[in-house]
Amino acid sequence: MRSRRGKTLTETDIALWRQVARSVKPLPGRAPIEPEPVPEQAVPVPAETAPRAVAAALPVKATPPSAPPLAPIERRLRTQLRRGQQSVDASIDLHGLRQDEAHLALHAFLRREQRRGCRIALVVTGKGALAPALFGDERGVLRRMVPHWLRLPDLRTLVLGFEEAEQRHGGSGALYVRLRRLREHGP
């Protein structure tokens, strides 16, 4: 038996096709697909490899859910923050910390504040040194890295969304971080 590309199909290929063809529901008004008979010229496959191909065609168990998606801070909440009608529940200043220290401090801070029921946290990264950067035009390592960290799966379970803070809270050198509610698993 030959495929459309002219390749001779092995018994493993044919077994795999039959498995797939049995699992497909035909469209309304269409006849079910009948697998073609296996010709005698098919290349024999060692018996130990055929079960692997059939097992590969079987449904796979669902993978664990990925990290929840991030959502932007709502316009109403952002307006309330700008006008001072909504306050920031907690803040952390990461100035003067190395990247590894800042990452650990940010993670611990967000976990602690989520447990306390904090809704909005302010993360101050700073704008970077005023001196020219050594590599390119970018300044402020933490200013670049904190948004990246907030998108990582380990922090996405804590973070609902984040945006640059208003000027009165630090502007481009700070972020509003909206925390997810901690779900209690009661008895």
Side-chain angles (χ1 to χ4, degrees):
M1 179 186 228
R2 290 196 174 272
S3 71
R4 285 189 239 172
R5 295 183 181 161
K7 175 184 167 195
T8 302
L9 297 176
T10 64
E11 285 193 32
T12 305
D13 295 333
I14 295 166
L16 181 61
W17 169 249
R18 285 185 177 150
Q19 179 71 23
V20 170
R22 279 193 296 268
S23 68
V24 174
K25 179 182 174 190
L27 292 171
R30 299 269 178 114
I33 299 173
E34 295 295 327
E36 296 180 20
V38 180
E40 296 300 320
Q41 301 95 338
V43 179
V45 176
E48 62 272 356
T49 60
R52 282 189 227 144
V54 173
L58 295 176
V60 181
K61 291 182 180 177
T63 58
S66 62
L70 292 174
I73 295 177
E74 296 90 10
R75 187 171 61 172
R76 181 175 180 221
L77 179 59
R78 185 143 179 95
T79 302
Q80 289 173 339
L81 286 165
R82 185 179 68 240
R83 292 179 180 168
Q85 297 167 341
Q86 172 72 41
S87 63
V88 173
D89 299 325
S91 64
I92 184 172
D93 189 347
L94 301 176
H95 280 111
L97 298 179
R98 294 189 327 251
Q99 281 187 61
D100 58 339
E101 295 170 336
H103 190 174
L104 290 173
L106 178 64
H107 196 275
F109 168 75
L110 293 176
R111 276 207 186 283
R112 181 180 64 243
E113 294 307 321
Q114 184 190 43
R115 282 193 306 267
R116 285 186 50 231
C118 175
R119 185 174 170 207
I120 299 285
L122 180 69
V123 177
V124 179
T125 61
K127 296 178 182 179
L130 295 176
L134 296 175
F135 303 104
D137 297 329
E138 301 257 358
R139 296 179 359 207
V141 174
L142 294 180
R143 181 179 171 196
R144 286 190 324 267
M145 293 306 294
V146 168
H148 171 70
W149 295 337
L150 293 172
R151 289 183 189 101
L152 293 176
D154 64 328
L155 288 180
R156 292 248 302 275
T157 57
L158 305 170
V159 176
L160 182 62
F162 65 93
E163 285 187 22
E164 186 176 290
E166 294 294 332
Q167 193 61 41
R168 64 191 285 261
H169 286 130
S172 63
L175 296 168
Y176 294 130
V177 178
R178 184 148 182 220
L179 297 175
R180 294 184 187 278
R181 286 190 180 143
L182 185 62
R183 295 183 187 250
E184 296 293 330
H185 298 287

